[in-house]
Amino acid sequence: MLGVAVAEEARRLLSRHLDPAAAGEEAADGTVLVDVPYPDAAVVTALLDVAAECFGERGGSVEETRQAALETLLQLAGFDDESRLNSGGARG
């Protein structure tokens, strides 16, 4: 349950800062850049640290661990109809 709550908050923050003009601009590998300014950036960092603990993510560095947690969160809180957060009455 905590993982879903963390994913929902991460999705909310990322959506808030996603530039609609750049939303269709993806890198060849599907990467989309989202600039999250302070203080929301500090919240996103804390969410990634909590997610890493929740999901047991590990990496060679703190940044690699956060990146792995972000990938897991994005799978859980996907921005599409397949997301677990878009079913069962969850807000989207």
Side-chain angles (χ1 to χ4, degrees):
M1 196 59 147
L2 178 61
V4 173
V6 169
E8 176 61 29
E9 183 62 10
R11 180 170 76 162
R12 185 190 71 77
L13 286 169
L14 293 174
S15 294
R16 181 177 182 192
H17 297 289
L18 183 62
D19 180 4
E25 297 177 20
E26 295 182 4
D29 65 356
T31 301
V32 175
L33 178 64
V34 179
D35 184 25
V36 181
Y38 184 83
D40 287 348
V43 175
V44 170
T45 299
L47 288 171
L48 292 177
D49 291 341
V50 169
E53 285 293 318
C54 286
F55 303 133
E57 299 289 358
R58 298 288 179 256
S61 68
V62 172
E63 290 306 316
E64 287 178 4
T65 300
R66 287 178 180 154
Q67 181 64 38
L70 177 61
E71 290 172 9
T72 301
L73 280 176
L74 291 177
Q75 289 172 0
L76 179 64
F79 289 86
D80 57 28
D81 293 333
E82 300 296 318
S83 171
R84 288 179 52 191
L85 296 174
N86 291 331
S87 62
R91 292 184 332 218

